[in-house]
Amino acid sequence: MKKILIQWIALGLVLSVHAAEPKLVPPAVPLVACDPYFSIWSQGDKLTDVDTTHWTGRRHRLTSLVRVDGKTFRLMGTAPRSVPALEQKSVTVLPTRTICTFEGGNLAVTLTFTTPALPDDIALLSRPVTYLTYDVRALDKKEHKVQIYFDACSELTINEPRDVTMQRAVWADESSKDLSVLKMGSDKQPVLEKNGDDIRIDWGWLYVSAPKASVASTALAEAGTVQRAFADGGTMPPEPDLPSVEGDAVAAALVLDCGAVGPKPVSRWLMIAYDDLYSIQYMKQNLRPYWRRGGWEAIDLLNASANEYDALMKRCAKFDDELMNDLRKAGGEKYALLCALAYRQCFAAGKFVADANGQPLSFCKENHSNGCIATSDVFYPMAPQFLLFGPSVAKSFLVPFMNYAASPRWKFAYAPHDLGRYPHANGQRYGGGETSEEKQMPVEESGNLLILMAAVAQMEGNADFAGLYWPQLERWAAYLKDDGFDPGEQLCSDDFSGHLAHNVNLSAKAICGLGAFAKLCDMRGDTAKAAEYRSAAKEFAARWVQEARDGDHFRLAFDKPGTWSQKYNLVWDRVLGLDLFPREVAETETAYYRKIQNRYGLPLDCRSDYTKLDWTLWSATLTRNRSDFEALVNPVFDFLNDTPDRIPMTDWYFTSDARRRRFTARPVVGAVFLQMLYDKAVWAKWAARDVTKASGYAPMPGTTAKSGSVQPTAKEEKTQWKFTLNKPADGWFAPSFDDSSWEQGLSGFGKKGPPGAVINTEWKTSDIWMRRTVTLPDLKGAQVKLRVYHDEDAEIYLNGKPAASFTGFSTDYVDVPVAPEAAAALKPGPLTIAIHCQQTIGGQYMDAGLVVEK
């Protein structure tokens, strides 16, 4: 009896511990998380509750069904609605995997989405590939015939699926000996034309692929038709005899045959991939994704990914286990689960590309804020995740930013804010851009860069990387020394709160920035300058404590008693070992935070009850006390579980009711990894695994392509064009067309002046047709590109051949390749350029030039 009693007590303890384990129900579940365009989520508790979406909320449907002994169940998506859902039992989000389990129909199914975002190898990290693995087994010890169905909708390749006039899908079966390969994309292929925030990719090619040996059948057909055919009979319908259909109608579908499945698990897998051809335009140069740097094409990507499946599954499982264990030790189970949810979101909000030397550059995107690219006050909070995993990924986002700051284009005494709007990194767009000091963030951005440069130096044990940009760092440090302690009225990272003078937290950043610069000087052997800046930083820190104190906490602004704010910028004092502020500051602030925080977290400051998730996770680390850390982190965990907003993790929300204020799927959630940087041994362990070993810098690309101008744009020279505002006869674009009755005007054409437009001829109707004939020299193998500014839709012909088409509008001149048919027609002699542009609302502008790349 005593033994039984002891066993019952032990069982009760086990059950009690198990019951106490925290559970995270993500507001949205990451499924395919590769980059800002290839980013698919499930916004429900179960995969069968909702259709999958792009992070922006637009439908990007993935559908999966399972057929057991002739009966069909849904695993993912809401279609076909007549098919019952297999009961989902669990969902687990890990750094590189999302695992969903199902049971029903005498079958257990585990569906695992694996994106091998392994940061020690950027070539692998940059691959736009996610694996779906199905593990199935019988629950009743009998054998059952099992088939798995999967499809991806052509919505994934179209920005606006319902705009059937300009956005249509085309497809092909490109299967090889070993792989079934289905390919889809848009017919227009407007490579890198658009920039902005709430947009989706409409160029490049989507691939659905699986080992041929496991594929029973495939189809490229109307989505509903193929889904119903499988649900009803386990077969595929005949493929449509059409060249293209509207974007939301086509499914790339395949069926995996599992054979007779008994109690022993049977595994099948497939891949979904997206080849965007070119990913980023950096200073007018279109850059390839990093995985393409050695000349790979899509088939090389698919073959390598298929061949490495077994090895990558083991590597991802090992990586997840080790990282999760380190996260638990650093902050507990809730912290580990939060970091796992943030991990893929952070990497998927940016893109790794190769520069001209094959070096890795990465560009983060301000998802759902303003669409800016490579923004300093976005990659500043993002940085801990990159810093943890080594110098290659850490330098990758600093290099393009610093190269721009070091160019003659940036003339101010402080650091830039951004490099443009994603995916165009052609120069700062925010505020006054690069020509005006309006709405700049001088203290914010300068402090950010000095701190991050010192963090890289601390990780590497030398300041060689900082030395590449030393004139800029010296200039910014001098600026902070003169103007950083008591900032004038200006914006900071929290620009949504408006301008604020005498910002205490911004002052703390400036002080840490000066300390960081002193650290860099020390590492470079300049002891005199190190002493000068360390002395200034210590003097400012002492003044800060005196002038910011407000009883039991420190103020929001030096001149505002009775106010308070999070002092998240102080974290670098201890992470970088600067030793500027007394420990009592962190202890005083944290004690106050614990008293005033709300149900779902600590407000950002006294002006509102909203907060920033990234900054709260930094503030939680200030004392290095585990109790303080968990007290501030646990309400954030509760927010993720309780928020009614089913979207990828927001970083800006209300602490009273867990509702989102704004922002979705931003990379700033990489901030949650800051806690790991305090443990130098753990940091060193992960950073040492960097196998890319990139040198981390490249020459600054020019502001324009190194080219000769065949047809200058209006920005370079006024040129005479023939034009008409009335629809011309058919064949208006042919060289032989008679345009003698058309009007004449100087380039460019438009009204209301879009940014950077050079309007010499007013055009204010809905349509304009333009023609001009130039003399094309002997190209001698060189390549012609179009340099175009369009607002809005446009089509361009060269010698009567379609050269390019554009939808929406651009906000600057962009260089685009000439379509192959038109390029083949380019010969020395007369060249007729013909353009049609269509306008609907707002400002309008059309201008185009031709450049020859040497």
Side-chain angles (χ1 to χ4, degrees):
M1 178 63 72
K2 182 177 181 182
K3 183 177 180 181
I4 294 174
L5 181 61
I6 292 173
Q7 288 175 336
W8 273 105
I9 292 172
L11 179 60
L13 289 172
V14 170
L15 291 175
S16 175
V17 170
H18 181 74
E21 289 181 359
K23 180 183 179 182
L24 177 61
V25 180
V29 178
L31 304 178
V32 177
C34 295
D35 60 52
Y37 291 133
F38 196 34
S39 180
I40 306 171
W41 299 70
S42 176
Q43 297 177 318
D45 288 347
K46 298 178 180 179
L47 293 186
T48 51
D49 287 349
V50 295
D51 286 322
T52 58
T53 65
H54 185 254
W55 69 263
T56 57
R58 299 294 180 90
R59 289 192 313 181
H60 271 195
R61 285 174 291 178
L62 305 178
T63 299
S64 190
L65 310 171
V66 59
R67 191 169 172 84
V68 188
D69 295 331
K71 185 174 182 180
T72 307
F73 301 90
R74 280 185 292 117
L75 292 176
M76 178 166 53
T78 64
R81 292 194 176 274
S82 60
V83 174
L86 202 64
E87 182 183 1
Q88 183 172 323
K89 308 296 287 188
S90 68
V91 58
T92 303
V93 176
L94 297 168
T96 68
R97 295 174 293 161
T98 294
I99 305 170
C100 301
T101 63
F102 304 82
E103 290 184 5
N106 296 314
L107 196 71
V109 180
T110 299
L111 173 54
T112 303
F113 296 80
T114 304
T115 302
L118 300 175
D120 59 358
D121 185 347
I122 295 179
L124 182 59
L125 176 61
S126 71
R127 287 186 189 177
V129 177
T130 291
Y131 300 89
L132 280 71
T133 302
Y134 297 84
D135 294 298
V136 297
R137 61 182 177 84
L139 293 173
D140 59 0
K141 299 183 180 180
K142 298 179 182 179
E143 287 193 343
H144 302 276
K145 182 177 178 176
V146 178
Q147 292 175 296
I148 298 289
Y149 170 93
F150 171 84
D151 79 47
C153 190
S154 53
E155 293 163 341
L156 276 69
T157 70
I158 304 292
N159 177 39
E160 294 290 351
R162 289 167 182 80
D163 182 8
V164 297
T165 61
M166 297 298 289
Q167 302 269 337
R168 299 175 71 85
V170 294
W171 57 86
D173 186 326
E174 296 192 347
S175 298
S176 62
K177 176 184 176 183
D178 299 318
L179 287 177
S180 290
V181 179
L182 305 178
K183 170 183 175 180
M184 293 194 299
S186 70
D187 60 343
K188 299 294 185 182
Q189 289 295 306
V191 178
L192 286 174
E193 278 188 21
K194 301 178 181 67
N195 68 81
D197 189 18
D198 188 9
I199 58 174
R200 288 140 298 278
I201 197 166
D202 55 5
W203 74 89
W205 301 98
L206 172 74
Y207 293 88
V208 174
S209 179
K212 214 165 193 177
S214 64
V215 175
S217 56
T218 65
L220 286 155
E222 193 275 328
T225 301
V226 72
Q227 291 162 4
R228 288 189 297 272
F230 176 82
D232 293 341
T235 60
M236 293 291 197
E239 296 183 17
D241 185 20
L242 294 171
S244 66
V245 300
E246 53 267 32
D248 64 350
V250 185
L254 53 79
V255 175
L256 304 175
D257 189 0
C258 299
V261 176
K264 184 178 179 181
V266 173
S267 183
R268 295 289 184 267
W269 58 272
L270 61 90
M271 301 176 290
I272 179 169
Y274 206 110
D275 176 15
D276 60 5
L277 307 175
Y278 290 90
S279 304
I280 299 291
Q281 185 177 95
Y282 179 43
M283 303 306 158
K284 301 296 185 180
Q285 302 294 307
N286 291 350
L287 301 184
R288 293 282 197 182
Y290 188 72
W291 63 268
R292 268 181 169 270
R293 74 200 181 286
W296 270 19
E297 297 292 343
I299 192 60
D300 303 301
L301 172 71
L302 294 174
N303 284 335
S305 298
N307 293 336
E308 296 167 19
Y309 171 79
D310 290 330
L312 287 177
M313 293 306 106
K314 292 175 183 176
R315 285 179 64 184
C316 287
K318 182 179 179 182
F319 175 84
D320 287 349
D321 289 346
E322 184 178 4
L323 182 56
M324 291 298 285
N325 284 333
D326 283 349
L327 291 167
R328 291 185 188 102
K329 291 174 186 176
E333 184 67 23
K334 291 183 178 180
Y335 173 65
L337 293 172
L338 195 163
C339 288
L341 185 60
Y343 181 86
R344 266 175 290 164
Q345 176 173 317
C346 177
F347 279 138
K351 189 73 176 183
F352 284 90
V353 297
D355 70 7
N357 300 318
Q359 294 294 326
L361 306 178
S362 69
F363 295 83
C364 63
K365 179 178 184 292
E366 278 200 62
N367 284 346
H368 204 192
S369 43
N370 66 2
C372 276
I373 188 171
T375 306
S376 169
D377 55 283
V378 169
F379 65 61
Y380 172 67
M382 175 194 83
Q385 179 168 322
F386 281 66
L387 286 166
L388 177 64
F389 295 113
S392 291
V393 287
K395 292 176 183 178
S396 69
F397 67 84
L398 289 169
V399 167
F401 187 91
M402 292 302 299
N403 283 348
Y404 173 66
S407 76
R409 291 176 57 181
W410 190 254
K411 306 184 188 317
F412 301 122
Y414 43 80
H417 172 271
D418 63 81
L419 295 186
R421 292 190 79 195
Y422 196 93
H424 296 168
N426 294 325
Q428 180 169 318
R429 291 291 305 278
Y430 188 84
E434 61 186 35
T435 61
S436 167
E437 298 200 67
E438 178 190 0
K439 291 184 70 175
Q440 300 283 5
M441 299 185 187
V443 173
E444 171 74 30
E445 317 302 11
S446 301
N448 290 345
L449 271 300
L450 290 168
I451 288 168
L452 294 178
M453 283 295 198
V456 170
Q458 177 164 295
M459 174 172 49
E460 292 198 289
N462 64 72
D464 294 349
F465 178 61
L468 299 171
Y469 305 103
W470 199 248
Q472 287 68 47
L473 300 182
E474 281 189 309
R475 194 178 184 191
W476 300 341
Y479 179 86
L480 292 184
K481 188 179 177 186
D482 292 340
D483 298 299
F485 172 73
D486 188 8
E489 187 167 304
Q490 59 184 265
L491 296 169
C492 69
S493 176
D494 310 314
D495 55 354
F496 46 81
S497 295
H499 288 73
L500 178 68
H502 319 298
N503 187 326
V504 170
N505 186 46
L506 190 58
S507 175
K509 175 175 286 186
I511 295 168
C512 288
L514 292 171
F517 183 69
K519 182 184 181 80
L520 290 170
C521 291
D522 254 338
M523 296 178 80
R524 284 169 54 84
D526 191 342
T527 55
K529 187 164 287 187
E532 174 191 348
Y533 277 88
R534 184 172 295 107
S535 175
K538 282 185 170 291
E539 176 190 341
F540 287 164
R543 284 181 57 194
W544 187 97
V545 173
Q546 293 296 320
E547 296 178 30
R549 187 181 294 277
D550 201 53
D552 61 352
H553 66 279
F554 295 86
R555 298 174 180 177
L556 166 68
F558 288 117
D559 63 338
K560 295 186 182 298
T563 62
W564 61 270
S565 65
Q566 289 193 39
K567 308 302 188 299
Y568 53 82
N569 285 313
L570 290 173
V571 297
W572 299 105
D573 191 28
R574 291 185 72 172
V575 170
L576 297 178
L578 305 178
D579 196 25
L580 301 173
F581 293 86
R583 298 291 169 88
E584 176 260 342
V585 170
E587 293 165 357
T588 297
E589 279 289 281
T590 304
Y592 188 74
Y593 297 160
R594 294 186 65 167
K595 286 194 305 183
I596 62 171
Q597 70 175 338
N598 292 326
R599 170 72 181 88
Y600 293 109
L602 175 67
L604 183 63
D605 58 47
C606 57
R607 292 174 289 181
S608 173
D609 75 342
Y610 60 59
T611 195
K612 289 288 268 78
L613 183 149
D614 44 349
W615 301 144
T616 300
L617 267 289
W618 283 18
S619 295
T621 71
L622 284 173
T623 64
R624 305 300 301 125
N625 178 287
R626 184 65 168 264
S627 174
D628 289 336
F629 181 79
E630 292 182 350
L632 295 184
V633 170
N634 289 350
V636 177
F637 185 85
D638 293 340
F639 151 72
L640 292 171
N641 269 327
D642 296 350
T643 178
D645 298 304
R646 305 310 300 264
I647 55 172
M649 191 192 307
T650 182
D651 54 285
W652 187 18
Y653 68 92
F654 292 103
T655 59
S656 55
D657 60 9
R659 288 193 172 276
R660 176 186 62 154
R661 174 61 180 85
R662 202 183 164 201
F663 302 162
T664 307
R666 301 207 310 163
V668 301
V669 297
V672 302
F673 284 88
L674 182 91
Q675 171 81 339
M676 302 285 280
L677 302 187
Y678 288 96
D679 189 328
K680 297 302 185 288
V682 171
W683 187 1
K685 177 190 77 169
W686 286 105
R689 297 177 184 180
D690 180 349
V691 299
T692 303
K693 302 301 181 190
S695 62
Y697 61 95
M700 171 66 181
T703 58
T704 60
K706 294 178 181 178
S707 58
S709 178
V710 176
Q711 163 59 43
T713 66
K715 198 170 184 178
E716 299 152 349
E717 179 186 334
K718 297 177 184 178
T719 56
Q720 194 83 26
W721 289 73
K722 295 286 191 71
F723 74 95
T724 180
L725 305 179
N726 300 309
K727 185 176 181 180
D730 292 346
W732 62 271
F733 45 79
S736 59
F737 183 81
D738 182 6
D739 59 13
S740 58
S741 64
W742 288 20
E743 298 180 65
Q744 295 191 30
L746 295 174
S747 60
F749 295 78
K751 70 170 185 176
K752 291 189 179 178
V758 182
I759 296 176
N760 292 307
T761 301
E762 185 180 56
W763 159 49
K764 54 185 180 180
T765 59
S766 61
D767 292 83
I768 187 169
W769 290 263
M770 306 160 50
R771 288 169 54 92
R772 173 174 166 79
T773 299
V774 298
T775 300
L776 188 67
D778 187 350
L779 299 178
K780 296 180 179 179
Q783 182 184 22
V784 170
K785 284 189 174 182
L786 290 160
R787 182 163 293 167
V788 181
Y789 194 144
H790 64 98
D791 188 349
E792 301 170 20
D793 302 346
E795 52 186 343
I796 301 178
Y797 298 83
L798 298 180
N799 275 347
K801 305 295 184 182
S805 63
F806 309 90
T807 58
F809 59 90
S810 62
T811 55
D812 198 355
Y813 287 89
V814 295
D815 289 0
V816 296
V818 174
E821 183 184 6
L826 296 179
K827 295 179 172 56
L831 173 65
T832 298
I833 308 167
I835 301 171
H836 171 220
C837 187
Q838 185 177 51
Q839 162 67 15
T840 59
I841 192 170
Q844 61 191 90
Y845 185 63
M846 185 66 224
D847 188 35
L850 285 174
V851 293
V852 179
E853 288 199 346
K854 301 298 185 183

